[in-house]
Amino acid sequence: MIRLVYILLIVLSFPVLADTHIVCSDCHIGKVSNAVDMSERGDTIIIKSGVYTESLIEIDKPLTIIGENFPKIKAKNGEKIFHIIGDSVTITGLEFMEVTRSFTEDRAAINIQGGDYISIINNRFTNTFFGIYIAKSIGTKVIDNRLISNNRIEMNSANAIHAWSSKKLTVENNYVEGHRDGLYFEFCDNSIIKNNHSYRNLRYGLHFMFSDNNKYKNNIFEENGAGVAVMYSHHIEMYKNQFLNNWGQSSYGLLLKEIKDSKIHYNLFKGNTKGIYGESAIRINIFHNDFVQNGWAMQMMGSSEQDTISHNNFIQNTFNVSTNQNAKNYNIYEKNYWSDYNGYDLDKDGIGDVPHRPVKFFSQVLGYTPEAIILLRSFFIELLNFIENIVPVLTPENLKDLQPMVKQIDNDTVSKHI
Amino acid sequence: MLKILKYSFYDLLRSKWTLIYFLFFLLITQGLLYITGDEAKTIVGLLNVVVILCPLIATVFGTVNFYNSREFTELLLAQPLKRRDIFIGQYLGMTLSLSIGYFLGVLIPFVIHSITYTVDYSVLSILLFVGVFLTFIFSALSFLISLITDNKIKGFGLSILTWLLLALVYDGMQLFLLSMLDNYPLEKISLVMTFLNPIDLSRVMLMLKLDMSALLGYTGAVFNKFFGSSFGYAISLSALLIWTVIPVYFINRISMKKDF
């Protein structure tokens, strides 16, 4: 009996047997790579604060690597630092630096190649080429990281968080700045991307392709070179994101190209050259969003069909909706609030009695002659807009909101708090 | 010259038209500020009022004033005074009274507004300057036209026509031209065309401060690059100045030779 208890105790204490290795400059172990080499499955490595110059550390077993007071790991020769091929690796509390650019390989501070259930939590990345590079991974979590680079040229820079051919990723609470693309997903399905802040990246704040069934919640995409562009995906859900101040010649708050069966709800689009640009965006519900002070709130090309645009606020945009069709419209616009609506509501049911036509004559003209933008707000143009509003010639006759709201809708986006 | 300026200035102040003009702008600005509660929106609302109405009022007022004070002018001509002093003095007296009416009418509500809110004076100052410039330009144009044509009706018609041409028809022509030639790079042409019309120029100067995000679209960037730079602004301001100086120069020249 007692023997049995002993055996039980031994069996139960196995996890405790996992070793802890401490790395510091004057410890027994002075290098992270040595600690990784000598540790067994499930061991913990604690890195004391200091500066370590290392690269090409390959991890092929479950490990927990913890930094105390953000020890700095500088890439030796600018090469990639961690190369993870094993599963269940946790990396937390480190600061990665000086991974230099390469035109022949995708150098990243943390490079995950096939390892599943990796956790990368609360790290800092300063001027790393790629920050976190995830390939062929399932269930990986990237949480609370700060990735800051000071790139100037798009060609010479790389993505902050780059994921390829992965599933069930969680990307949460990260701050990315100054990379080529802030968040990049290609062939990544069933993932959750939330509470991230993507700021001043050279190309896109968020960029994904062929990535289905993903959820994007509470993210902020701000002042990125070309805004946010998402392509060739379906069943996307975007809730409560903010698309702010994406200014520029080809900059979009949110560019939808071949996006199907998706939901875009409760987002805020503010101060963008183009709020939403839709090309072959099909069966998309755009509900309860706030479009505030954009150049064009929405630009829906003729290839976008069966979209429903409802309960949105369009406030002080230079143009609310524009399209390149002038014959027929295949999308539904209903129950939106348009700040330039000048109808009336005699029966006081909160819905305007006169339909609103959000497409203006002048925005159609600009489609043909962009240079005419110099006539914006000219008295003559206002006159033409007025005439077109009464007798539509250039604008699709059936593109109208039959039930425009008279009062601004309380969409509970963050716009109230700004 | 100063004395004549002073007389025609006081004459207009007494006639209460300047006061009405001042009250009009005061009311409109105060009303817009009250309804929108936001200075940026107010300036957007004022944009078309200023750009269209300032030239119109200056045109009408300039013509009417010139023909009405013709007897006074003839009386002055009999005195040992320089013709330049008489006409430029009258012109300046009228323009200044209108400009002051406009300037204060718009400024005072904003100053009151700034007690409780912060006001961005950079856009406001452009609005004020542009309005004053337009008043100067269009009263000079109408003065010049009235000086050339002795017939009241004809002079009035010509002045209004000039206003109509620059405020409305010009933009139509520009749009027509741009859409006819849309296979060619047109940024430079439209830039030049804008400079040739003081109303368009004023509108663009203001608009670039207001509709930044739309203008930063594909083509807008060219305009924004030009007008957004301080160099572009200096050029725009000097263009407005030239627009003021040229009619005044012709007023001076024609008044020298004209036989009354």
Side-chain angles (χ1 to χ4, degrees):
Chain A
M1 184 63 197
I2 288 174
R3 188 170 290 175
L4 207 75
V5 171
Y6 271 125
I7 290 169
L8 205 73
L9 272 177
I10 287 165
V11 168
L12 280 176
S13 60
F14 254 122
V16 183
L17 285 182
D19 259 340
T20 301
H21 309 275
I22 293 172
V23 181
C24 66
S25 46
D26 33 292
C27 295
H28 170 57
I29 311 168
K31 284 177 107 33
V32 182
S33 51
N34 291 346
V36 169
D37 284 342
M38 61 199 289
S39 56
E40 297 292 325
R41 289 176 64 87
D43 283 3
T44 300
I45 297 171
I46 293 174
I47 304 173
K48 299 280 183 186
S49 66
V51 179
Y52 304 86
T53 307
E54 295 188 57
S55 64
L56 299 170
I57 305 170
E58 186 171 293
I59 304 176
D60 55 0
K61 57 210 157 206
L63 280 181
T64 303
I65 301 176
I66 300 169
E68 282 183 359
N69 298 323
F70 290 101
K72 292 181 172 59
I73 314 243
K74 286 188 180 173
K76 192 176 163 192
N77 304 326
E79 303 240 36
K80 59 185 158 193
I81 299 174
F82 281 118
H83 185 83
I84 303 174
I85 51 176
D87 297 341
S88 303
V89 176
T90 300
I91 296 178
T92 173
L94 301 179
E95 176 162 2
F96 298 94
M97 301 170 90
E98 293 174 17
V99 176
T100 54
R101 73 165 174 266
S102 159
F103 295 112
T104 50
E105 58 171 342
D106 294 338
R107 287 177 177 172
I110 297 179
N111 194 317
I112 301 168
Q113 293 286 345
D116 296 340
Y117 303 101
I118 312 289
S119 299
I120 298 167
I121 297 167
N122 193 21
N123 298 288
R124 294 176 188 164
F125 300 75
T126 311
N127 288 326
T128 55
F129 184 54
F130 279 90
I132 301 165
Y133 188 103
I134 305 165
K136 298 222 171 253
S137 173
I138 297 172
T140 288
K141 290 186 166 72
V142 179
I143 300 173
D144 286 334
N145 299 290
R146 279 177 76 81
L147 300 95
I148 299 173
S149 268
N150 53 5
N151 290 309
R152 292 278 171 273
I153 305 163
E154 188 184 308
M155 250 172 59
N156 293 344
S157 51
N159 307 330
I161 298 174
H162 178 109
W164 178 75
S165 193
S166 299
K167 282 190 178 63
K168 294 182 182 166
L169 303 176
T170 306
V171 179
E172 194 179 333
N173 275 333
N174 299 291
Y175 176 84
V176 294
E177 180 187 324
H179 290 78
R180 184 177 62 192
D181 291 351
L183 309 172
Y184 181 100
F185 303 97
E186 195 175 350
F187 302 106
C188 292
D189 299 338
N190 302 311
S191 298
I192 294 175
I193 292 90
K194 63 179 182 182
N195 295 335
N196 299 291
H197 189 174
S198 187
Y199 181 66
R200 288 205 173 171
N201 294 292
L202 299 178
R203 198 172 65 177
Y204 300 117
L206 163 72
H207 187 39
F208 65 74
M209 294 180 281
F210 312 107
S211 298
D212 307 327
N213 300 309
N214 293 334
K215 286 190 173 69
Y216 300 84
K217 283 165 88 173
N218 288 318
N219 300 292
I220 303 173
F221 304 104
E222 197 178 356
E223 291 180 36
N224 294 298
V228 169
V230 301
M231 304 168 181
Y232 314 111
S233 306
H234 55 79
H235 293 96
I236 301 298
E237 294 177 14
M238 292 186 154
Y239 297 140
K240 294 209 171 196
N241 299 292
Q242 299 174 51
F243 302 84
L244 309 174
N245 302 329
N246 296 295
W247 280 11
Q249 301 196 8
S250 53
S251 188
Y252 306 93
L254 174 61
L255 180 146
L256 306 166
K257 188 178 170 66
E258 306 236 358
I259 299 286
K260 290 171 185 160
D261 300 297
S262 296
K263 294 173 180 168
I264 299 172
H265 295 182
Y266 297 101
N267 299 289
L268 170 68
F269 298 85
K270 191 173 184 212
N272 304 294
T273 300
K274 291 175 182 169
I276 291 186
Y277 177 89
E279 209 175 285
S280 301
I282 293 170
R283 289 186 298 277
I284 295 185
N285 290 345
I286 301 175
F287 292 170
H288 294 287
N289 301 288
D290 284 350
F291 296 86
V292 186
Q293 291 163 359
N294 299 290
W296 283 263
M298 290 182 74
Q299 198 160 28
M300 298 300 273
M301 291 295 136
S303 51
S304 300
E305 296 177 3
Q306 300 170 53
D307 301 329
T308 309
I309 295 102
S310 178
H311 290 95
N312 302 290
N313 286 318
F314 291 86
I315 301 163
Q316 289 175 46
N317 302 294
T318 307
F319 302 108
N320 284 330
V321 177
S322 79
T323 169
N324 60 350
Q325 323 172 266
N326 47 27
K328 205 160 160 39
N329 154 56
Y330 299 97
N331 301 316
I332 299 167
Y333 295 82
E334 61 181 14
K335 292 191 176 170
N336 298 292
Y337 168 78
W338 312 89
S339 65
D340 60 342
Y341 178 61
N342 44 20
Y344 45 82
D345 177 27
L346 287 182
D347 51 5
K348 302 268 179 205
D349 59 350
I351 293 169
D353 301 342
V354 187
H356 181 69
R357 310 180 143 277
V359 181
K360 283 189 185 160
F361 167 79
F362 188 47
S363 64
Q364 296 296 86
V365 169
L366 285 181
Y368 304 110
T369 335
E371 292 85 0
I373 186 87
I374 201 145
L375 294 171
L376 179 68
R377 290 190 186 283
S378 140
F379 186 47
F380 178 73
I381 295 297
E382 302 286 324
L383 216 63
L384 284 181
N385 278 340
F386 179 70
I387 297 166
E388 174 77 15
N389 199 18
I390 299 166
V391 192
V393 180
L394 265 182
T395 53
E397 203 280 322
N398 68 339
L399 201 166
K400 56 189 168 191
D401 191 334
L402 291 171
Q403 298 172 300
M405 306 302 276
V406 178
K407 285 209 174 111
Q408 196 171 322
I409 303 156
D410 186 10
N411 275 341
D412 197 32
T413 64
V414 271
S415 64
K416 284 190 292 190
H417 310 296
I418 298 180
Chain B
M1 184 152 83
L2 269 176
K3 212 158 225 168
I4 294 164
L5 193 157
K6 210 172 84 186
Y7 277 118
S8 59
F9 186 74
Y10 282 129
D11 182 42
L12 277 162
L13 282 191
R14 258 202 311 276
S15 76
K16 296 202 177 67
W17 277 108
T18 323
L19 191 69
I20 291 170
Y21 193 56
F22 161 73
L23 284 176
F24 169 77
F25 273 107
L26 192 76
L27 264 174
I28 249 191
T29 313
Q30 188 59 53
L32 278 170
L33 272 175
Y34 179 73
I35 292 166
T36 60
D38 179 58
E39 42 117 3
K41 285 186 216 163
T42 308
I43 291 177
V44 172
L46 277 175
L47 179 116
N48 255 327
V49 177
V50 169
V51 160
I52 296 299
L53 223 57
C54 273
L56 180 65
I57 301 287
T59 305
V60 173
F61 218 71
T63 328
V64 171
N65 187 52
F66 184 87
Y67 288 123
N68 279 353
S69 58
R70 195 178 165 89
E71 281 159 16
F72 176 58
T73 313
E74 277 170 9
L75 181 78
L76 285 177
L77 282 168
Q79 310 300 318
L81 289 168
K82 278 187 190 164
R83 283 196 164 189
R84 196 189 68 185
D85 290 354
I86 296 170
F87 287 97
I88 304 292
Q90 278 188 327
Y91 161 70
L92 285 179
M94 188 198 73
T95 324
L96 279 177
S97 67
L98 275 182
S99 303
I100 287 168
Y102 159 76
F103 196 86
L104 293 180
V106 174
L107 186 66
I108 287 172
F110 275 101
V111 169
I112 294 167
H113 188 70
S114 72
I115 295 169
T116 37
Y117 304 91
T118 47
V119 171
D120 177 16
Y121 281 101
S122 71
V123 188
L124 180 65
S125 60
I126 293 170
L127 183 81
L128 289 170
F129 269 108
V130 153
V132 169
F133 260 119
L134 285 174
T135 311
F136 265 78
I137 292 167
F138 279 83
S139 32
L141 282 175
S142 64
F143 225 74
L144 182 63
I145 289 168
S146 324
L147 194 66
I148 295 167
T149 51
D150 283 330
N151 186 336
K152 246 188 197 183
I153 306 293
K154 201 175 158 195
F156 199 74
L158 267 177
S159 301
I160 294 287
L161 200 70
T162 313
W163 170 81
L164 201 69
L165 214 71
L166 290 175
L168 209 63
V169 180
Y170 192 89
D171 286 358
M173 278 171 19
Q174 191 173 353
L175 184 64
F176 179 71
L177 196 78
L178 289 179
S179 50
M180 287 299 286
L181 302 173
D182 61 359
N183 291 332
Y184 299 90
L186 294 167
E187 288 94 341
K188 293 229 169 85
I189 296 175
S190 43
L191 209 64
V192 170
M193 281 190 81
T194 306
F195 270 96
L196 295 179
N197 182 344
I199 293 184
D200 273 356
L201 187 57
S202 318
R203 180 177 50 76
V204 169
M205 281 170 76
L206 264 171
M207 191 177 60
L208 276 159
K209 288 279 175 198
L210 297 169
D211 294 86
M212 292 296 274
S213 33
L215 280 157
L216 284 166
Y218 178 61
T219 345
V222 177
F223 303 131
N224 194 55
K225 220 178 204 167
F226 183 79
F227 285 103
S229 64
S230 46
F231 171 72
Y233 253 95
I235 291 205
S236 315
L237 278 178
S238 27
L240 285 177
L241 205 65
I242 289 169
W243 260 103
T244 327
V245 168
I246 287 177
V248 173
Y249 168 75
F250 277 106
I251 290 175
N252 186 30
R253 237 183 86 165
I254 288 170
S255 65
M256 294 286 194
K257 292 178 186 162
K258 190 171 162 76
D259 192 15
F260 281 92

